[in-house]
């Protein structure tokens, strides 16, 4: 058959849809799309019309940058001076240009310019990267119709509304297009929308039949048409419009629209006309900024800066008042200052005015109390910390080739303070790899394989039976088991805990590896044996439903000769693999039909059957089912349906419930075994019945307005009635590698875990058992509401019932006397609607916090976000949300920290996250290692920053008081300029980047160390004020020791005393040496970089002093040759420095010595053990310390083992008591005889 004849046939066949929204090809009534929201008019193949008003639309140029050439300077400066500290330094820099300034203008302006300039350069670099990315996109080439049937390449940014574009396979669509035709005769194409919605499955798009003749370049010479449609909007899944062509009007829907940034797949080429360009396109309409998140440390840092501002104002007021008093009462006696011939700055007659002027001087002079380089130093440190996270080889997933990514560096330290983790289940705890494991057909259960939950339960039951003294050998459990110890458990001794993982036989393992998605084992169905079963006709129908009722696309695999399936969900893919293995291979899809190759037929030869798709009623989260209306080769019409059993059972006819009781029993068993289930049903339709329904369906489809979707859903529901149950499927959603171990380690670290899932309660509970969130002996609190009661009793009565359940549960927990008792809260989405109400949510939260684990089932994406917000705001503690799908974006953005898993469900969760990892198990290292390190590094770094600035800044205040509040600085302007920027900045950065209290291995072996973060031991007010007190003490020692030493002592060999320049330089040298020695004492872990930065800073100071002193006196002033001629030859100078350094750091040294000896922290003990190599020489001690170093937990495998040990001890105690009683009785008996 020729191509033209195929097209002719297609044009005359009244093809219907794959979706509910497909318009009929002929006989459609034109729709009114006038009015608000429907003003867009597109003249196809006439882009010149849209080059001027009133039909001018935005260009296809896109920009995601924050700045441009014009706005960079004002916007970047505004961003920098939103920080209070920077605004303060800006004001002082301006005032430094006035006569009241105690310093030269350069010493105030240069540090500010350096810090602000560095931050702006960082902003510019990040924005430049975005700009380069934008330019790459804008410069991409697309084939555009230039006229006379000729196509040529144009950059994307030059494409205009109305242009006809040709897109080839694996290319992105440059704008939102109306599909006109494709390389397939029936006008369909396959599109990957992963960049838009995170879904990896391919979508089918199809052109209107009327445009199928536009099949090559030349046909567009005379092509004209008009599109009237909705205005630009962010809805990815809706589109309403009309297409006027050849004096006919055809309705348009989303199935004809190709969205920008989606990719053409499995199709040689398509032609389309541009409808929306640039920022009008739906993907750009959806681009929103992520919520701004700040860490708790950063918020507290602002409070500290406010405290220092208050201190600054207080000492400035003291200085100002002191100066006014001096000016009024003492200056008249200072004849050498000529008090009668002076300005308002020093006027004895106006002391108040002089005091006000001096207040400005003092505010500038003491400004060094505020660390100007703190913000930029923290930014540098956090970027470097994020780099280490990104490059951690232990968080690299070999299977996917993906590493961990810190998508924002602002929250690094927050990783070390997490209290509660809120996790998705599917794709997060589980692999999102679905294996077809069991099925129920015609009331008979098939499938002899065991799920991971079954095997774990069998193992637990075997242990329980063993405890009771039963015969273990009689228990039906696989003999072929293997014990995999935990990753880090090698060489830990017999007392260490090992997690046993039951695996199946070698043959089964190999079988699973060969057929991905199919783990079914039952000889009754395999190899065509199903045809010998008593209900072979029902089994055949069951398998045909699996092979026909779907939206998947087959892709031929040349290597194995079969097909791979691009399905909308992993569940659907596993159904098709199962159907293929049972002999019903889905092999081809066209716009109107699916083709199934059936192997096991009576003729003995494979037969390819065509099933015409009349309508496809797609799955939605609200409908929870999908149906295909098909016509088979005999002309019979069937409705094939699959969906949630709770929905399907309500739609069954009276004569369709033959297998309901048995199927329900099987479904419950499957749910208890942690399997995901779907029910399958069908209905045979008469031609007249279908025609009448289809007429109603077409009316609903061609209607326009807000109730269009509701009408379509109503008509679809009317068809999906009186169904006949065929059976049910059970597929296994496997746990990700290392999930139980990770949960156990996080529990030992003191973290709480809430699981929020859309799965039903039975499945979620059993996954909870398999990953040790639940265990035998744990008391389960199930908060639920009977759906029938909602209608009967009214909402208020239901709310009272739920509140009573919550109150009773809370009371039960409070009255529990067993300290080892553990509770688990389980609640479903319907009940959660009431529990999250304002008048009940705090009681619900209180109950959840009291429970060891919380599982929320059947929750919507919005409920996930609301639960996350409740935990975050209600507890006031740091929350972390982790998920992998688009439905997890809400909770990821709502939580303090959002972690996305770059898994099977696409990248939308990752794009919304703050950190991304490839597997849930990497969360252990991200928090317990990097979180712990980053928290301590940032906390110590900020405390040290305030310490050194207080130690330096207060010496200026003391000197001013010493000199009559004159506003005189003891230090040279260049010294002060270099203090924060050069001489003390690199050591503190090295502290923030490289400091380790313990190694990564020790962090994992001693998970309780993590609790130092949530308890905020290193950044509480006690520690902050302790460091401030240390700074105050150091400033007193540095100033007064130097004054005492140099005040009237002979300084030079000639007997001269030291001048102000010598005292100031000596004092500054003491500050540089003291604060750098202090940071050396603070560090627990040294690398060559830290040695270089700490001791190099002191060396740099001396090199600067030498070179500065060698410059002209016009530049160096009083510091001319001060080191060579004045300081270095004077022994008193070197003695003073040594004395001051020792005296400054002695109290800190005494404090940490006392603490380590009498009140050591956890990491102190570990450091001592490692230093004395006790971990190598005394393994028993090391193991004992490890067993102590975990938080008491009631979830995880460790909790299971602890419960088991308590149980065994109880049994032994009873046995021992019984033995003692028997012994005493026998002794008494002997005595009596």
């Amino acid at each position: 058959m020729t191509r033209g004849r195929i097209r002719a046939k297609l044009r005359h066949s009244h093809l219907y849809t794959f979706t509910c929204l497909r318009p009929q090809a002929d006989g459609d009534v034109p729709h009114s799309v006038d009015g608000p929201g429907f003003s867009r008019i597109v003249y196809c193949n006439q882009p010149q019309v849209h080059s001027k008003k009133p039909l001018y639309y935005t260009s296809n140029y896109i920009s995601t940058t924050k700045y441009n050439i014009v706005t960079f300077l004002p916007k970047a400066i505004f961003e920098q001076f939103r920080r209070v500290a920077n605004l303060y330094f800006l004001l002082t820099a301006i005032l430094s240009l006035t006569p009241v300034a105690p310093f030269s203008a350069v010493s105030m302006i240069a540090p500010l310019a350096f810090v602000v300039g560095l931050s702006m350069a960082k902003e510019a670099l990040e924005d430049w990267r975005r700009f380069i990315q934008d330019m790459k996109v804008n410069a991409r080439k697309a084939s555009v119709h230039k006229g006379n049937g000729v196509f040529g390449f144009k950059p994307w940014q030059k494409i205009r509304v109305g242009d006809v574009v040709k897109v080839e396979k694996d290319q992105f669509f440059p704008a939102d297009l109306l599909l006109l035709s494709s390389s397939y005769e029936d006008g369909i194409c396959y599109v990957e929308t992963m960049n838009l919605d995170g879904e990896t499955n391919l979508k089918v798009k199809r052109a209107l039949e009327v445009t199928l003749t536009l099949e090559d370049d030349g046909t567009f010479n005379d092509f004209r048409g008009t599109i009237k449609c909705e205005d630009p909007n962010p809805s990815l899944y809706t589109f309403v419009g009309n297409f006027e062509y050849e004096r006919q009007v055809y309705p348009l829907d989303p199935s004809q629209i190709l969205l920008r940034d989606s990719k053409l797949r499995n199709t040689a080429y398509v032609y389309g006309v541009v409808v929306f360009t640039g920022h009008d396109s739906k993907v750009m309409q959806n681009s929103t900024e992520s919520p701004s998140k700040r860490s708790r440390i950063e918020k507290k840092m602002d409070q500290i800066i406010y405290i220092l501002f208050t201190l600054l104002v207080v000492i400035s007021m003291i200085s100002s008042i002191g100066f006014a008093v001096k000016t009024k009462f003492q200056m008249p006696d200072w004849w050498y200052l000529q008090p009668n011939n002076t300005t308002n700055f020093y006027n004895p007659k106006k002391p108040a005015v002089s005091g006000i002027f001096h207040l400005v001087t003092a505010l500038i002079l003491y400004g060094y109390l505020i660390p100007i380089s703190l913000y930029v130093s923290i930014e540098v440190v956090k970027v470097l910390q994020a780099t280490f996270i990104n490059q951690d080889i232990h968080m690299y997933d070999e299977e996917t080739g993906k590493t961990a990514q810190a998508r924002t560096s602002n929250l690094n330290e927050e990783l070390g303070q997490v209290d509660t983790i809120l996790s998705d289940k599917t794709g997060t705890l589980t692999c999102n790899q679905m294996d077809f494991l069991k099925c129920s057909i015609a009331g008979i259960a098939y499938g002899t394989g065991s799920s991971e939950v079954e095997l774990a339960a069998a193992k637990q039951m075997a242990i329980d039976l063993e405890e009771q003294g039963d015969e273990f050998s009689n228990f039906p459990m696989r003999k072929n088991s293997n014990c995999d110890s935990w990753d880090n458990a090698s060489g830990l001794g017999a007392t260490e805990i090992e997690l046993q993982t039951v695996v199946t036989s070698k043959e089964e393992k190999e079988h699973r590896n060969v057929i991905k998605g199919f783990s079914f084992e039952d000889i009754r169905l395999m190899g065509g044996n199903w045809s010998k079963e008593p209900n072979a006709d029902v089994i055949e129908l069951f398998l045909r439903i699996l092979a026909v009722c779907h939206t998947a696309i087959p892709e031929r695999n040349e290597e194995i000769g079969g097909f791979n399936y691009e399905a909308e969900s992993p569940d659907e893919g596993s159904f098709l693999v199962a159907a293929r293995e049972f002999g019903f291979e889905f092999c081809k899809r066209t716009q109107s039909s699916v083709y199934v190759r059936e192997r096991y037929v009576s003729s003995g030869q494979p037969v390819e059957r065509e099933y015409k798709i009349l309508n496809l009623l797609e799955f939605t989260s609200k409908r929870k089912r999908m149906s295909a209306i098909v016509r088979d080769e005999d002309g019979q019409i069937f409705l094939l349906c699959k969906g949630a059993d709770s929905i399907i059972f309500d739609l069954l006819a009276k004569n369709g419930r033959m297998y309901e009781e048995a199927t329900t029993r099987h479904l419950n068993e499957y749910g208890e075994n942690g399997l995901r289930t779907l029910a399958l049903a069908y209905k045979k339709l008469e031609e007249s019945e279908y025609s009448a329904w289809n007429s109603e369906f077409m009316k609903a489809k061609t209607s326009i307005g807000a109730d269009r979707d509701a009408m379509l859903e109503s008509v679809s529901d009317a068809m999906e009635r009186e169904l006949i149950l065929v059976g049910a499927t059970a597929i296994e959603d496997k746990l990700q590698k290392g999930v139980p171990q990770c949960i156990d380690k996080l529990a030992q670290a003191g973290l709480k875990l809430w699981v929020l899932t859309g799965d039903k309660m039975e499945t979620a509970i059993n996954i909870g058992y398999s990953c040790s969130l639940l265990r035998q002996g744990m008391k389960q609190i199930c908060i639920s509401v009977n759906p029938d009661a909602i209608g009967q009793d009214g909402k208020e009565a239901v709310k009272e019932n739920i509140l009573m359940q919550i109150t009773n549960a809370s009371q039960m927990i409070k009255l529990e006397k067993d300290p080892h008792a553990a509770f688990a809260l389980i609640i479903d989405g319907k009940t959660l609607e009431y529990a999250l109400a304002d008048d009940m949510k705090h009681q619900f939260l209180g109950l959840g916090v009291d429970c060891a684990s919380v599982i929320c089932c059947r929750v919507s994406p919005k409920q996930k976000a609301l639960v996350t917000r409740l935990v975050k705001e209600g507890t006031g503690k740091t929350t972390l949300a982790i998920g992998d799908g688009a439905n997890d974006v809400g909770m990821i953005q709502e939580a303090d920290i959002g972690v996305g898993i770059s898994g099977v469900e696409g990248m939308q969760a990752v794009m919304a996250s703050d950190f991304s990892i490839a597997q849930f198990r990497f969360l252990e290292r991200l928090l317990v290692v990097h979180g712990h390190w980053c928290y301590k590094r940032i906390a110590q770094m900020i405390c040290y920053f305030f310490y050194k600035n207080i130690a330096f800044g207060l010496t200026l205040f003391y000197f001013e008081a010493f000199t009559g509040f004159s506003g005189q600085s003891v230090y040279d302007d260049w010294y002060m300029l270099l203090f924060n920027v050069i001489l003390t900045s690199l050591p503190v950065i090295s502290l923030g980047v490289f400091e380790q209290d313990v190694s990564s291995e020790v962090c994992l072996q001693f998970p309780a160390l993590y609790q130092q973060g949530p308890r905020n031991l290193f950044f509480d007010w006690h520690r902050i004020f302790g460091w401030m007190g240390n700074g105050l003490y150091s400033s007193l020692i540095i100033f007064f020791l130097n004054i005492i030493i140099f005040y009237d002592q002979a300084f030079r060999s000639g007997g001269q005393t030291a001048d102000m320049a010598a005292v100031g330089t000596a004092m500054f040298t003491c500050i540089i040496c003291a604060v750098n020695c202090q940071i050396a004492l603070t560090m627990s872990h040294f690398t060559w970089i830290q040695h270089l930065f700490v001791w190099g800073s002191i060396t740099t100071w001396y090199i600067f002093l030498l070179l500065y002193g060698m410059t002209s006196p016009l530049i160096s002033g009083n510091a001319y040759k001060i080191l060579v001629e004045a300081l270095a030859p004077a022994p008193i100078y070197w003695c003073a420095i040594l004395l001051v350094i020792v005296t400054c750091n002695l109290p800190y040294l005494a404090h940490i010595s006392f603490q380590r000896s009498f009140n050591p922290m956890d990491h102190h003990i570990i450091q001592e053990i490692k230093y004395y190599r006790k971990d190598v020489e005394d393994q028993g001690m090391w193991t004992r310390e490890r067993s102590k170093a975990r938080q008491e937990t009631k979830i995880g495998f460790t909790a299971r083992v602890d419960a088991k040990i308590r149980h065994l001890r109880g049994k032994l105690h009873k046995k021992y008591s019984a033995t003692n009683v028997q012994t005493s009785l026998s002794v008494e008996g002997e005595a009596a005889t």
Side-chain angles (χ1 to χ4, degrees), residues 58-70:
T58 184
S59 73
N60 204 39
Y61 177 87
I62 61 108
S63 174
T64 59
T65 59
K66 192 175 179 179
Y67 311 104
N68 59 39
I69 294 175
V70 177

Side-chain angles (χ1 to χ4, degrees), residues 790-1050:
I790 298 175
Q792 295 170 2
D793 303 338
K795 291 187 175 181
E796 286 303 318
V798 173
K799 282 179 70 174
E800 288 179 14
N801 177 263
I802 295 170
L803 185 58
M804 185 176 70
Q805 290 184 58
I806 293 172
T807 305
N808 291 343
S810 298
Q811 195 67 20
M812 180 178 69
I813 294 173
K814 287 177 184 174
L815 295 174
E816 179 60 57
K817 294 181 180 178
D818 181 4
H820 301 296
F823 296 86
L825 174 62
I826 300 158
I827 187 169
D828 61 28
K830 195 62 101 172
T831 313
L832 204 56
E833 288 180 19
Y834 296 93
L836 290 174
D838 289 341
D839 55 349
M840 203 188 301
K841 63 183 181 183
H842 294 296
Q843 290 92 322
F844 165 66
L845 176 64
L847 176 60
V849 169
D850 289 339
C851 290
S853 60
V854 181
I855 299 176
C856 301
C857 316
R858 294 294 197 196
V859 292
S860 66
K862 184 178 180 182
Q863 286 177 323
K864 287 185 177 184
L866 290 174
V867 171
T868 304
R869 182 184 301 172
L870 175 63
V871 176
K872 179 178 74 172
E873 295 177 353
T875 62
K877 296 178 180 177
T878 305
T879 56
L880 180 147
I882 178 168
D884 74 321
N887 60 332
D888 301 317
V889 168
M891 73 171 184
I892 283 173
Q893 292 187 331
E894 186 63 51
D896 294 302
I897 307 169
V899 178
I901 292 187
S902 48
V904 178
E905 290 195 26
M907 298 296 286
Q908 192 152 340
V910 169
M911 292 169 73
S913 67
D914 305 303
F915 299 86
S916 72
I917 51 179
Q919 296 274 321
F920 182 87
R921 60 192 166 97
F922 296 137
L923 187 65
E924 174 190 342
R925 188 173 180 86
L926 184 66
L927 297 184
V928 177
V929 176
H930 290 285
H932 174 72
W933 282 347
C934 290
Y935 162 72
K936 290 191 73 173
R937 288 165 175 171
I938 294 292
Q940 288 181 303
M941 173 184 171
I942 295 172
C943 287
Y944 173 78
F945 237 110
F946 289 123
Y947 151 78
K948 73 180 181 68
N949 277 70
I950 288 172
F952 176 56
L954 287 180
T955 57
L956 293 165
F957 172 66
Y958 305 148
F959 185 77
E960 200 199 5
F962 199 79
T963 55
F965 299 104
S966 62
Q968 175 65 49
S969 171
V970 68
Y971 305 122
D972 186 276
D973 289 355
W974 278 98
Y975 301 173
M976 305 182 76
L977 187 154
L978 295 175
F979 177 74
N980 276 319
V981 177
I982 302 292
L983 298 176
T984 60
S985 59
L986 292 180
V988 77
I989 287 174
S990 72
L991 173 72
V993 175
F994 299 107
E995 171 64 358
Q996 290 180 19
D997 56 345
V998 292
S999 67
S1000 60
E1001 293 80 9
V1002 172
C1003 282
L1004 295 170
Q1005 291 171 347
F1006 292 79
L1009 282 174
Y1010 182 81
Q1011 276 300 305
Q1012 292 178 342
R1015 288 160 60 194
N1016 202 19
L1017 295 184
F1018 287 86
F1019 205 64
D1020 58 359
W1021 287 113
H1022 174 77
R1023 188 169 288 263
I1024 291 166
F1025 285 125
W1027 274 99
M1028 287 183 172
N1030 191 16
L1032 172 64
Y1033 166 79
S1034 295
S1035 67
L1036 290 168
I1037 294 298
I1038 289 167
F1039 179 79
F1040 286 104
L1041 268 185
N1042 275 285
I1043 290 298
I1044 291 167
I1045 290 170
F1046 292 111
Y1047 185 68
D1048 52 8
Q1049 297 292 323

Side-chain angles (χ1 to χ4, degrees), residues 380-393:
V380 170
V381 164
K382 286 185 175 182
V383 167
L384 293 172
Q385 287 177 349
T387 303
F388 287 152
I389 291 173
N390 297 346
Q391 295 180 352
D392 189 341
I393 194 68

Side-chain angles (χ1 to χ4, degrees), residues 200-211:
T200 56
N201 57 288
L202 301 186
K203 310 291 193 303
V204 181
K205 301 288 184 178
R206 48 241 152 222
L208 295 172
E209 289 175 40
V210 71
T211 60

Side-chain angles (χ1 to χ4, degrees), residues 151 198 361 485 527 549 619 639 652 813 868 891 996 1125 1186 1223:
F151 280 72
T361 303
S485 63
C549 184
F619 178 91
L639 179 138
L652 296 177
I813 294 173
T868 304
M891 73 171 184
Q996 290 180 19
E1125 294 185 356
R1186 283 192 56 185
T1223 304

Side-chain angles (χ1 to χ4, degrees), residues 350 669 715 1146:
K350 297 180 181 179
E669 290 173 6
V715 175
L1146 202 57

Side-chain angles (χ1 to χ4, degrees), residues 606-862:
V607 174
E608 189 172 290
R609 300 191 190 279
E610 178 185 6
Y611 296 88
K612 290 189 178 295
I613 305 293
L614 303 179
N615 302 86
L616 198 70
L617 312 181
E618 289 188 338
F619 178 91
T620 66
S621 57
K622 185 177 180 182
R623 284 166 38 80
K624 294 184 180 177
R625 65 188 182 276
M626 72 161 292
S627 300
I629 302 175
V630 303
R631 190 192 301 273
D632 66 11
E633 292 178 336
D634 298 328
Q636 298 184 83
I637 301 175
F638 293 90
L639 179 138
L640 310 177
C641 184
K642 65 182 181 188
D645 52 275
S646 58
I647 301 294
I648 298 295
F649 285 1
D650 291 340
L651 304 176
L652 296 177
K654 287 183 179 178
N655 64 342
R657 298 179 180 270
M658 189 187 311
Y659 312 122
E660 182 181 12
E661 185 179 344
T663 306
T664 302
R665 186 172 65 254
H666 296 151
L667 284 167
N668 289 335
E669 290 173 6
Y670 298 153
E672 287 169 4
N673 294 330
L675 303 177
R676 293 161 67 99
T677 58
L678 283 180
L680 274 60
Y682 81 104
K683 179 168 74 170
K684 187 175 179 181
L685 302 174
E686 297 297 330
E687 189 72 45
S688 58
E689 180 187 1
Y690 171 72
S691 298
W693 173 84
N694 193 51
S695 176
E696 291 297 315
F697 183 71
M698 298 308 294
K699 284 181 184 177
K701 185 179 60 177
T702 54
S703 66
I704 192 163
D707 59 345
R708 183 187 189 192
D709 289 347
M711 289 173 65
L712 282 164
E713 190 172 322
S714 175
V715 175
S716 301
D717 289 350
M719 172 56 75
E720 295 168 322
R721 300 280 173 185
E722 302 300 307
L723 304 179
I724 299 171
L725 182 65
V726 177
T729 61
I731 58 177
E732 182 179 21
D733 190 359
K734 291 185 170 297
L735 281 177
Q736 286 189 11
K737 178 185 175 184
V739 165
Q741 296 96 316
C742 178
I743 288 174
D744 189 69
K745 192 73 75 176
L746 294 174
Q748 291 179 40
L751 294 165
K752 304 179 187 71
L753 184 64
W754 291 37
V755 175
L756 314 177
T757 176
D759 275 339
K760 59 183 172 184
M761 189 174 287
E762 295 81 6
T763 306
I765 287 173
N766 284 287
I767 292 295
Y769 274 110
S770 65
C771 61
S772 296
L773 276 174
L774 303 176
R775 58 181 167 83
Q776 300 297 327
M778 183 179 273
K779 298 175 184 178
Q780 294 181 12
I781 301 169
C782 293
I783 309 292
S784 60
V785 59
N786 184 354
D788 299 330
I790 298 175
Q792 295 170 2
D793 303 338
K795 291 187 175 181
E796 286 303 318
V798 173
K799 282 179 70 174
E800 288 179 14
N801 177 263
I802 295 170
L803 185 58
M804 185 176 70
Q805 290 184 58
I806 293 172
T807 305
N808 291 343
S810 298
Q811 195 67 20
M812 180 178 69
I813 294 173
K814 287 177 184 174
L815 295 174
E816 179 60 57
K817 294 181 180 178
D818 181 4
H820 301 296
F823 296 86
L825 174 62
I826 300 158
I827 187 169
D828 61 28
K830 195 62 101 172
T831 313
L832 204 56
E833 288 180 19
Y834 296 93
L836 290 174
D838 289 341
D839 55 349
M840 203 188 301
K841 63 183 181 183
H842 294 296
Q843 290 92 322
F844 165 66
L845 176 64
L847 176 60
V849 169
D850 289 339
C851 290
S853 60
V854 181
I855 299 176
C856 301
C857 316
R858 294 294 197 196
V859 292
S860 66
K862 184 178 180 182

